[in-house]
Amino acid sequence: MKMVRLTTVLSVFFAVTAGQAADDMKAFPPAKQGMTRYVLRLPQQDDESAFQVELMVGKVVQVDEANRFFFGGKIEEETIQGWGFPRYIVRELGPMAGTLIAVDPNAPKVDRFITLGGNPYLIRYNSRLPIVVYVPEGVEVRYRIWRADAEVKAMKKG
């Protein structure tokens, strides 16, 4: 009897979870022509305030190993009217720039993921909503999870 209840409860839970996943995507329209939509669903954490998500937008390019490169452009956050959910948009990937370290012209090129320039783009960790990013076709979105150390340390006066 207990096993039947557990099975029923679990099936209802998973049905609701799948239904919620479909429902929360109603707020995020498909990508327009020339754009691609990326969707990230985060796993639930005990203390989500101790986490952040870094969004990295760019593409793989063949470059030399010595220089540092970046693309122009920016990630814009928009609030979806009527829903209050955030979405992130990169309207265009600007030109690639980089440092000017002299490199042997015969040195082999390597494939590297080159991202937008500037500071890391960190957003709040929230497992209840998908993170949705719209970018131009041919552009990729990657992410990294940042975690706060559980230990809090005091600073010295001085």
Side-chain angles (χ1 to χ4, degrees), residues 48-60:
E48 294 189 356
S49 68
F51 295 83
Q52 286 190 308
V53 180
E54 177 184 0
L55 297 178
M56 296 175 281
V57 174
K59 59 189 197 174
V60 175

Side-chain angles (χ1 to χ4, degrees), residues 79-157:
T79 301
I80 300 171
Q81 260 187 325
W83 292 85
F85 299 164
R87 68 176 170 187
Y88 304 91
I89 301 173
V90 175
R91 300 194 190 284
E92 65 179 343
L93 199 62
M96 188 171 76
T99 56
L100 298 173
I101 297 173
V103 178
D104 178 359
N106 298 321
K109 303 278 186 189
V110 295
D111 287 338
R112 286 182 25 203
F113 183 65
I114 308 300
T115 63
L116 296 174
N119 293 327
Y121 193 84
L122 297 168
I123 60 174
R124 187 172 82 90
Y125 191 103
N126 182 359
S127 63
R128 293 182 305 277
L129 286 176
I131 295 172
V132 180
V133 184
Y134 296 87
V135 297
E137 285 180 353
V139 175
E140 192 178 335
V141 180
R142 297 182 182 184
Y143 72 97
R144 179 174 20 214
I145 304 297
W146 290 77
R147 293 167 181 83
D149 192 350
E151 182 182 353
V152 177
K153 299 176 184 177
M155 292 179 64
K156 294 182 182 179
K157 294 178 184 176

